[in-house]
């Protein structure tokens, strides 16, 4: 069978590194004839403190995520990618992406940006990319650099 990826997931969090991961994801998907799945997880733990505004903020976050993912979808189509989908999850990104979403879509490669966190934040919560690497059921590519332009 060789090393061919069929279902590629890119974790999108709005960061510059996630943007780079998306660009690399397009290239890998095109080379492999694979499906590209973009995933954005709205971290609902951040709303827990706000209680009353919960649904308003949740709806707003979902609308922003949908707009972002549709912009990326247009870019993917312009780049010549035909097999594309996106998903918005609610919960903890570092748990949902590797443990649920990747399994549900039979993902064989996850790309995520090495998003910047300071040492203290990393010590207490651990980065999302670190968590994905530890719990993913498949290969993981942590993207640190912008894609080289041909």
């Amino acid at each position: 069978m060789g090393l061919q990826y069929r279902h590629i997931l890119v974790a999108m969090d709005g960061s510059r590194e996630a943007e780079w991961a998306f660009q690399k994801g397009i290239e890998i998907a095109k080379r492999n004839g694979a499906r590209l799945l973009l995933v954005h997880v709205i971290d609902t733990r951040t709303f827990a403190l706000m209680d009353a505004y919960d649904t308003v903020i949740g709806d707003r976050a979902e609308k922003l995520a949908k707009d972002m993912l549709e912009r990326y979808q247009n870019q993917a189509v312009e780049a010549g990618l035909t097999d594309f989908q996106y998903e918005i999850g609610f919960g903890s990104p570092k748990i949902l992406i590797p443990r649920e979403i990747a399994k549900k879509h039979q993902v064989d490669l996850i790309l995520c940006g090495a998003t910047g966190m300071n040492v203290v934040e990393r010590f207490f919560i651990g980065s999302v990319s670190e968590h994905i690497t530890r719990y993913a059921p498949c290969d993981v590519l942590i993207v640190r650099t912008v894609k080289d332009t041909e």
Side-chain angles (χ1 to χ4, degrees), residues 110-130:
I110 297 175
L111 283 85
C112 54
T115 43
M117 254 202 259
N118 68 40
V119 178
V120 176
E121 286 174 314
R122 246 196 319 274
F123 178 76
F124 284 112
I125 52 181
S127 71
V128 172
S129 54
E130 189 186 332

Side-chain angles (χ1 to χ4, degrees), residues 6-12 22 25-26 29 34-40 65-66 68-77 81-89 101-107 109:
R6 307 300 316 154
H7 301 97
I8 300 168
L9 184 158
V10 183
M12 301 301 296
F22 166 69
I26 287 177
R35 166 174 295 150
L36 189 66
L37 169 68
L38 291 195
V39 174
H40 178 77
K66 196 170 191 291
M68 172 183 75
L69 294 171
E70 282 173 355
R71 270 197 318 277
Y72 284 120
Q73 180 170 19
N74 293 336
Q75 284 181 44
V77 169
L81 204 64
T82 51
D83 200 351
F84 180 93
Q85 63 185 120
Y86 67 78
E87 183 167 321
I88 299 169
I101 297 171
K103 288 177 184 161
K104 180 173 96 178
H105 291 278
Q106 288 143 12
V107 167
L109 177 66

Side-chain angles (χ1 to χ4, degrees), residues 15-30:
S15 69
R16 196 181 54 191
E17 291 85 354
E19 166 85 36
W20 297 342
F22 166 69
Q23 297 298 337
K24 287 187 179 179
I26 287 177
E27 296 303 313
I28 297 168
K30 281 167 67 176

